[in-house]
Structure formats: structure tokens, C-alpha cells
Amino acid sequence: MEKNEILNQVLSVFHDVLDNEDIVLTYETTANDIEEWDSLSHIQLVVAIEKKFKLRFTSKEIQSWKNVGEMLDCIKEKVA
Amino acid sequence: MSFKAGDIYNLPFTVTNERYNGFIELFNDKNPLHTNDEFAVGHGFKGRVMHGNILNGFLSYFIGECLPKKDVIIHSQEIQFKNPVYLNDELQFKATILDVYESVNTVEFKYEFRNVETKVVAKGKIQIGILK
């Protein structure tokens, strides 16, 4: 799956979980850029992404992400 | 983590007079559906219908007191009310772990309450976090 396709699917998860269709994601986006992305919604996002892509992250992987792009790289690796 | 997908928990609960009156005293919901037998019968029920949210109290007890770990917190819960519950109804509660998300220390349950006729009176999902 291409990284941009993953981005689009992740974006739909963000829209759904954060109840905001106006959210835009780029590879550089971080939690600081999205008001609704707090520590609790972060858990909901991770759970929803794990469900959507039928994969599992480790806590180490999650803690290592510096932005959305790194999260996408991690998903890409797992769905390859 | 001491939770795994497929784990099942069973508990009995009864909507006692004490719980019913306590709920009304605490939250002041005296809607006639919950307090007036005649009104409730007039709307097709067998009698006063217990507040559905009493069942949420049972859910709180289950998560807070009945799991193998005490360091837990409810992230979210949903409940669907399927059939009425009446005073002194004995309910059988069953919760099943749907999935465990170790990356974010999160556990997801589905649950149901059944009455003595084995009818589902309520069901839903709860997501909890394991505190660090």
C-alpha cells in the first residue's frame, strides 16, 4: 500500500475519532497541530488505526513517532 | 497484562428496592415511567420500569471491583437498552474481552445483561485503560 493511500485511510480515522471533518494531515503534522488530539483521543486513534489496518503497534513504536509521517512509515512496514 | 481476548466474566445483579430508591434520591429522576405503575402499564409495560442507568452503576462496580487489577480507568462505554427491567429483577451479567491493545494499555469488553427469561435487557461495549 502506498504511503499516500495509508494517509487517506488514517485521515478518515482522525475525522471519525476526533469528530472533525476539517482536520488535514500532512507527514509533518503532530499532536500540537490538532486541538482535539489529546492523550485520551491519542489512545482512541491508536486503537482505531490498529483495528482498521488489522495490525498491532508496540508502545515503543508509538513513543518513537515524531509526526504523522513516521506513524505512516510504521503502518506501511506492517501492512507490506 | 493480565487480560486476554476471550476472557469471560459472569456476575449476578439485582435491581433491589434499595438501589432503585437510592438512584432516585441521588439523581432525582422521578419520571412517571419509573415511579408510577399505572402510567407504565398504560404505556405497555408490566409496571414501573427501572432506570436504565442503574445498570451503568453495575458496570462501574464490575470495572472497579471485579477485574484482576484495580489500577484501571474507564475510557468509554456504550449501552443499548433492549428490554425493560423491573423492580427486583435478577440479572445475569456477562462480559467478554473483545481485544487487548497492549500498545496503549487498553482493553475492550462487550457485555450483556439478561433477565431470568434469558432475554437481553441491555448490551454494549466498554473500553478501559490500565493505569501506569
Side-chain angles (χ1 to χ4, degrees):
Chain A
M1 199 182 295
E2 291 303 313
K3 198 169 168 181
N4 262 339
E5 191 185 335
I6 296 170
L7 175 64
N8 286 334
Q9 293 196 30
V10 166
L11 181 61
S12 75
V13 170
F14 272 65
H15 287 168
D16 182 44
V17 170
L18 303 179
D19 287 320
N20 182 351
E21 296 284 328
D22 296 330
I23 288 169
V24 176
L25 291 181
T26 69
Y27 295 165
E28 288 74 35
T29 302
T30 71
N32 292 332
D33 300 317
I34 299 175
E35 192 186 340
E36 298 91 340
W37 191 351
D38 55 26
S39 57
L40 187 54
S41 61
H42 180 73
I43 292 170
Q44 306 301 339
L45 287 167
V46 169
V47 168
I49 289 167
E50 288 193 10
K51 280 184 186 176
K52 181 152 192 119
F53 291 93
K54 296 184 174 61
L55 53 77
R56 284 292 189 268
F57 299 121
T58 65
S59 53
K60 262 189 183 174
E61 285 168 339
I62 292 172
Q63 284 160 20
S64 73
W65 301 336
K66 292 185 183 66
N67 52 38
V68 165
E70 293 192 7
M71 176 175 70
L72 299 177
D73 289 335
C74 186
I75 295 171
K76 190 168 188 282
E77 221 169 85
K78 288 175 186 288
V79 297
Chain B
M1 200 182 280
S2 44
F3 297 99
K4 65 175 192 302
D7 282 356
I8 291 174
Y9 301 83
N10 286 294
L11 289 168
F13 289 113
T14 303
V15 183
T16 59
N17 206 41
E18 187 186 10
R19 284 171 172 147
Y20 166 67
N21 286 323
F23 189 91
I24 290 175
E25 191 178 332
L26 286 170
F27 301 109
N28 208 29
D29 178 1
K30 297 174 185 165
N31 182 284
L33 182 66
H34 303 309
T35 54
N36 184 327
D37 281 322
E38 200 179 327
F39 178 91
V41 169
H43 285 80
F45 297 98
K46 288 195 295 187
R48 281 172 291 168
V49 176
M50 299 296 97
H51 306 75
N53 282 314
I54 293 174
L55 303 188
N56 278 328
F58 296 146
L59 292 175
S60 180
Y61 171 77
F62 164 63
I63 297 297
E65 299 288 345
C66 304
L67 295 177
K69 293 169 78 82
K70 286 282 189 284
D71 42 354
V72 294
I73 188 169
I74 296 175
H75 286 161
S76 65
Q77 67 185 56
E78 64 176 58
I79 189 163
Q80 297 171 37
F81 300 112
K82 297 294 190 182
N83 279 292
V85 174
Y86 299 105
L87 191 61
N88 293 319
D89 269 3
E90 292 174 3
L91 305 176
Q92 192 61 41
F93 171 80
K94 178 184 176 185
T96 307
I97 295 182
L98 283 178
D99 227 327
V100 178
Y101 300 90
E102 294 200 23
S103 60
V104 282
N105 292 313
T106 295
V107 181
E108 193 172 69
F109 295 86
K110 67 173 180 178
Y111 68 85
E112 61 185 28
F113 291 91
R114 289 180 185 267
N115 62 19
V116 288
E117 295 160 354
T118 71
K119 270 189 184 168
V120 173
V121 296
K123 68 175 191 175
K125 287 183 183 174
I126 310 178
Q127 190 190 80
I128 66 164
I130 314 299
L131 299 170
K132 287 177 188 167

